[in-house]
């Protein structure tokens, strides 16, 4: 299937990317490094995937203690992947979001739990209307402590739902920021974003699962 360049002002669909005349060219994703931690600048970061990164950004920006979010790609073998490459599948990347947070206000454990409760962790084939490995849910860890925390969060979710959890727990690898028009899409295009989220059935499924 051929995937056409995505218009920053178009609605997202699970199976095809629409092109609009006059679309501005977008640059390829570039590797992005999180800010270093210092005593004067207490920041930590994690990467999570809950399907559409527009929605993930929106969900995590609402969490007290989250300082910034960046949509991007992680886990694949292609250098500087583009949205068209990742969404078409085959690069090994997952749509994900890097979350910068203040660990004195919110913990990795709380954010991992939030990822599970703002997604369908029982579905490993994608999320909601977005299908394929590139949309599968995942929590990434940077060390053994974070891995242990993520495992505990998924075990808690399995107990709460009474179902197996399909959310992957994966070592954190190189993260590439997505093209600029994807960043904060939900604030730049609120009407289109809300229509996409509603038509994709995300909130309805989350309510069905989690109440």
């Amino acid at each position: 299937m051929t995937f056409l360049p995505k218009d920053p002002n178009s609605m997202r669909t699970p199976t095809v990317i629409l092109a609009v005349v006059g679309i501005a060219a977008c640059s390829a994703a570039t590797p992005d490094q999180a800010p270093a931690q210092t005593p004067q600048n207490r920041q930590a970061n994690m990467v999570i995937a809950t399907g559409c990164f527009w929605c993930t950004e929106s969900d995590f920006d609402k969490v007290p203690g989250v300082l910034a979010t960046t949509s991007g790609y992680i886990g694949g073998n292609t250098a500087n992947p583009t949205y068209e490459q990742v969404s078409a599948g085959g690069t090994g990347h997952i749509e994900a979001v890097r979350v910068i947070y203040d660990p004195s206000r919110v913990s990795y454990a709380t954010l991992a739990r939030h990822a599970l409760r703002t997604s369908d962790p029982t579905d490993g084939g994608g999320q909601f209307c977005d299908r394929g490995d590139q949309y599968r849910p995942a929590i990434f860890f940077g060390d053994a402590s974070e891995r242990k925390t993520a495992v505990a969060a998924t075990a808690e979710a399995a107990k709460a739902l009474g179902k197996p959890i399909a959310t992957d727990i994966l070592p954190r690898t190189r993260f590439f920021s997505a093209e600029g028009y994807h960043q904060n899409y939900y604030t730049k295009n609120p009407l289109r974003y809300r229509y996409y989220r509603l038509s994709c059935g995300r909130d309805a499924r989350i309510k069905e699962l989690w109440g």
Side-chain angles (χ1 to χ4, degrees):
M1 182 174 188
T2 300
F3 284 76
L4 300 176
K6 180 177 177 183
D7 178 1
N9 294 316
S10 70
M11 292 178 295
R12 178 191 193 116
T13 66
T15 57
V16 67
I17 300 168
L18 303 177
V20 176
V21 175
I23 183 174
C26 298
S27 60
T30 55
D32 201 286
Q33 298 298 321
Q37 294 185 49
T38 68
Q40 294 78 27
N41 181 27
R42 278 183 56 82
Q43 295 183 359
N45 63 90
M46 69 182 295
V47 176
I48 51 89
T50 63
C52 163
F53 49 27
W54 298 345
C55 298
T56 307
E57 271 201 87
S58 174
D59 290 340
F60 276 79
D61 280 342
K62 296 179 177 70
V63 178
V66 169
L67 306 175
T69 54
T70 303
S71 289
Y73 318 111
I74 191 171
N77 300 314
T78 302
N80 301 316
T82 65
Y83 178 79
E84 287 72 25
Q85 289 173 320
V86 174
S87 61
T91 69
H93 290 89
I94 304 173
E95 270 200 20
V97 169
R98 189 187 66 199
V99 179
I100 306 297
Y101 64 96
D102 180 348
S104 69
R105 297 176 59 198
V106 65
S107 66
Y108 178 95
T110 295
L111 294 174
R113 186 176 186 272
H114 188 66
L116 292 161
R117 281 159 178 75
T118 53
S119 64
D120 180 354
T122 69
D123 185 359
Q127 286 289 283
F128 316 105
C129 64
D130 291 311
R131 311 312 302 165
D133 284 349
Q134 65 271 39
Y135 296 110
R136 70 188 187 273
I139 300 172
F140 294 85
F141 62 87
D143 56 31
S145 176
E146 289 184 349
R147 182 182 183 280
K148 182 178 179 181
T149 299
V151 168
T154 56
E156 178 192 8
K159 182 177 180 180
L161 295 175
K163 298 179 180 180
I165 298 300
T167 298
D168 287 331
I169 299 172
L170 301 171
R172 180 171 173 173
T173 55
R174 195 174 188 181
F175 178 88
F176 293 88
S177 293
E179 296 82 351
Y181 67 82
H182 287 300
Q183 308 303 332
N184 300 307
Y185 186 90
Y186 74 99
T187 62
K188 296 174 183 175
N189 302 278
L191 294 179
R192 294 178 184 277
Y193 167 74
R194 285 198 292 269
Y195 181 82
Y196 158 73
R197 183 161 182 145
L198 178 64
S199 62
C200 200
R202 187 181 185 101
D203 293 324
R205 176 57 177 159
I206 290 171
K207 184 176 181 180
E208 179 185 356
L209 275 172
W210 297 106

